[in-house]
């Protein structure tokens, strides 16, 4: 594939494989996917199928055993300051929120901004704005343990937006939420995708909400089992289980 075509994709992977040091099986095996800028992609599949491994490699949180990830046409192996790409371009949301318990909601949202150019007043103003965006401005001074789990995830989503990322990478963001809070969080992602043009790559087990995404990538045994765009779904018949080739 020539360079120009690569540049159409925000992410592209080439022969991506991951074998953990103590692993007997490939967590990821020869995965080739591309994600276009502004796409909303759900990654689904059984536990242990390699979803988190793939998301962590896309987000440069981990390195592949072999293969390559391209972000905006640039291969990670040749990016000098990958940490900078990660902190400036990506917002991460995790199942268990990872909020700092000794900080208020407002302070938690500011954490990723500390290494950036903003002064204290601008940081606070921006954090307030982001809390308002996720419907949490009235909880700004609350500590995480005083918030419901759904509210904690909203704060974590506000924090993921702190550095105006291009991409949100979310690993089972509703895994710890009741269905009502989960619905709110999925609506929030859809809103961020539509109104802010964010690229969203989200792992979920929830079939109903997974369907809200434009595209569903299903994994099995470290490989892509199917990759279907929403408009094609009515034509979709599931693939048979993987045959060993
Ligand atoms: P999923 O997110 O779909 O549940 P993972 O990507 O977490 O799957 O895991 C894929 C496979 O890799 C599983 O077999 C899992 O046990 C293994 N694995 C994941 N993380 C590690 C690790 N840090 N060390 C060893 N094996 C791991
Ligand atoms: Mg996982």
């Amino acid at each position: 594939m020539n360079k120009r075509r690569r540049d159409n994709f925000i992410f592209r992977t080439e022969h991506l494989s991951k074998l953990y040091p103590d692993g007997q099986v490939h967590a990821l095996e020869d995965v080739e996917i591309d994600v276009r800028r502004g796409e909303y992609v759900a990654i689904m599949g059984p536990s242990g199928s390699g979803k988190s491994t793939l998301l962590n490699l896309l987000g440069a949180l981990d390195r592949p055993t072999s293969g390559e990830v391209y972000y905006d046409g640039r291969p990670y192996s040749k990016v000098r300051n990958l940490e900078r790409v990660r902190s400036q371009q990506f917002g991460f949301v995790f199942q268990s929120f990872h909020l700092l318990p000794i900080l208020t909601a407002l302070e938690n949202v500011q954490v990723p901004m500390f290494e950036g150019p903003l002064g204290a007043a601008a940081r606070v103003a921006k954090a307030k704005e982001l809390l308002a965006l996720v419907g949490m401005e009235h909880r700004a001074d609350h500590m995480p343990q005083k918030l419901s789990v759904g509210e904690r995830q909203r704060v974590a989503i506000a924090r993921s937006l702190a550095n105006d990322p291009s991409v949100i990478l979310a690993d089972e963001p509703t895994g710890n939420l009741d269905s009502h809070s989960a619905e709110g969080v999925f609506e929030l992602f859809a809103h961020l995708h539509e109104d802010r043009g964010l690229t969203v790559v989200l792992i979920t087990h929830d079939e109903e909400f997974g369907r809200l995404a434009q595209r569903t990538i299903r994994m099995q045994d470290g490989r892509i089992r199917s990759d279907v765009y929403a408009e094609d779904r009515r034509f979709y018949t599931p693939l048979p289980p993987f045959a060993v080739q």
Side-chain angles (χ1 to χ4, degrees):
M1 187 174 276
N2 66 34
K3 184 171 182 302
R4 218 173 132 254
R5 285 206 47 205
R6 265 178 197 159
D7 288 348
N8 291 337
F9 300 117
I10 194 159
F11 287 115
R12 212 174 78 75
T13 73
E14 243 172 28
H15 301 297
L16 200 61
S17 294
K18 178 75 182 181
L19 186 63
Y20 289 103
D22 56 345
Q24 300 300 305
V25 291
H26 276 91
L28 220 57
E29 198 164 1
D30 206 21
V31 165
E32 308 230 328
I33 62 160
D34 51 67
V35 176
R36 285 175 199 281
R37 188 174 284 280
E39 219 165 47
Y40 181 174
V41 185
I43 300 179
M44 305 190 76
S47 181
S49 59
K51 305 181 297 296
S52 296
T53 301
L54 176 60
L55 201 78
N56 291 345
L57 292 177
L58 292 180
L61 291 173
D62 198 3
R63 288 178 179 279
T65 310
S66 59
E68 184 68 272
V69 179
Y70 295 83
Y71 176 72
D72 244 353
R74 287 192 302 161
Y76 280 174
S77 63
K78 298 211 170 70
V79 174
R80 246 187 243 128
N81 198 344
L82 206 49
E83 206 166 296
R84 192 181 153 81
V85 172
R86 194 166 56 215
S87 65
Q88 300 298 313
Q89 301 292 324
F90 306 151
F92 293 95
V93 181
F94 300 100
Q95 180 172 358
S96 49
F97 326 124
H98 296 322
L99 296 174
L100 294 171
I102 56 159
L103 300 182
T104 64
L106 190 69
E107 289 163 345
N108 265 286
V109 175
Q110 292 174 65
V111 167
M113 301 178 200
F114 284 122
E115 285 175 27
L118 296 183
R123 270 200 314 266
V124 170
K126 184 159 186 191
K128 281 186 175 162
E129 206 177 286
L130 291 172
L131 282 176
L133 182 72
V134 301
M136 287 294 294
E137 66 272 45
H138 59 302
R139 295 278 192 268
D141 296 329
H142 285 52
M143 301 304 231
Q145 67 266 36
K146 297 280 182 194
L147 301 172
S148 73
V149 283
E151 290 176 328
R152 285 179 214 176
Q153 195 58 301
R154 284 177 178 273
V155 173
I157 293 169
R159 179 188 55 189
S160 78
L161 300 170
N163 290 328
D164 301 313
S166 304
V167 183
I168 297 286
L169 298 169
D171 193 342
E172 298 193 37
T174 61
N176 285 335
L177 307 188
D178 60 86
S179 62
H180 179 70
S181 311
E183 189 176 352
V185 163
F186 277 112
E187 275 170 11
L188 187 53
F189 280 119
H191 166 75
L192 293 172
H193 168 249
E194 280 162 31
D195 298 353
R196 299 203 143 201
L198 280 171
T199 306
V200 178
V201 184
L202 174 153
I203 298 174
T204 180
H205 279 296
D206 194 314
E207 287 289 340
E208 186 189 338
F209 292 119
R211 283 175 208 282
L212 294 177
Q214 292 173 313
R215 175 183 178 190
T216 305
I217 294 175
R218 285 178 199 274
M219 300 192 65
Q220 186 178 317
D221 299 333
R223 294 171 181 247
I224 304 297
R225 173 146 184 250
S226 67
D227 184 349
V228 178
Y229 283 84
E231 62 265 31
D232 298 335
R233 212 162 265 148
R234 62 205 163 102
F235 304 116
Y236 169 63
T237 43
L239 296 172
F242 263 119
V244 179
Q245 290 161 3

